[in-house]
């Protein structure tokens, strides 16, 4: 009987340790494959050889999620994407770097198991684009910005690696509508380039439930 009670309490503690809690925080990083057709045309026309339709970019993100039902979660995420293009020629070096700040609100459908969960979600949010361009044989750097919105479809899985600590893997499809940079910016050479993009990404991270 004593052994049975001990076994029961050990199993109970184990289940409670891995139960889905109300709050979750996450930090992750990954790689996105991004298609920006107008930017690709601009670069090929002026500075680079033929580029692939998708370029790789690094993505960092952090989020806070809260369960609002047995299988429903609201998640507030802030993502940051960084991408760059470089080309060297006899006339000098060309560099273009852009970043996208991506706060989003997502609704996740959560499938919960012992020590793991799967999430399938969708969301939207505003997008803040910053661009820095350096032209060949020009010592100056030119900065531009734009504002827009974006949409996310996501699938993610979390598996327990310690009490309340989970390893995270996720995959996204994202469409960001950020339009054209500020044409009134001093030294604007990008003109009417539209930075709206389609991207596919995968990320790894850590989440903590509390």
């Amino acid at each position: 009987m004593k052994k049975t009670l001990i076994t029961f309490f050990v199993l109970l503690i184990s289940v409670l340790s891995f139960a889905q809690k109300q709050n979750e925080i996450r930090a992750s990083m990954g790689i996105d494959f991004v298609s920006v057709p107008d930017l690709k045309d601009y670069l090929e026309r002026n500075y680079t050889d033929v580029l692939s339709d998708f370029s790789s970019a690094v993505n960092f993100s952090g989020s806070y999620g809260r369960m609002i039902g047995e299988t429903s979660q609201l998640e507030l995420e802030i993502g940051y994407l960084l991408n760059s293009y470089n080309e060297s020629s006899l006339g000098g070096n060309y560099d273009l770097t852009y970043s996208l700040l991506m706060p989003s609100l997502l609704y996740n459908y959560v499938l919960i198991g012992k020590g793991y969960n799967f999430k399938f979600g969708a969301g939207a949010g505003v997008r803040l684009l910053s661009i820095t361009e350096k032209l060949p044989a020009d010592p100056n750097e030119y900065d531009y910005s734009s504002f827009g919105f974006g949409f996310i479809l996501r699938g993610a899985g979390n598996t327990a690696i310690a009490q309340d600590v989970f390893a995270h893997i996720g995959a996204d499809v994202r469409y960001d509508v950020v339009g054209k940079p500020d044409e009134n910016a001093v030294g604007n050479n990008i003109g009417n380039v539209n930075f709206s993009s389609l991207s596919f990404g995968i990320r790894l991270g850590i989440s903590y439930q509390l």
Side-chain angles (χ1 to χ4, degrees), residues 7 20-21 25 44 65 81 90 105 124 136 144 194 196 207-208:
T7 302
Q20 185 75 19
K21 296 190 176 180
I25 56 175
E44 290 177 348
L81 180 141
L90 293 176
L105 180 65
Y144 320 103
N194 190 318
S196 296
S207 64
Y208 178 72

Side-chain angles (χ1 to χ4, degrees), residues 31-34 54 59 77 102 104 106 121-124 127 150-156 170-176 197-203:
I31 186 169
D32 282 10
F33 298 95
V34 187
F54 286 83
N59 185 311
E77 177 185 80
M102 305 173 291
S104 300
L106 297 96
R127 301 292 183 259
F151 305 93
I152 304 175
L153 292 176
R154 171 173 297 161
D172 296 344
V173 178
R174 197 177 66 248
Y175 184 65
D176 297 315
S197 63
L198 173 67
S199 64
F200 303 88
I202 186 168
R203 64 205 78 253

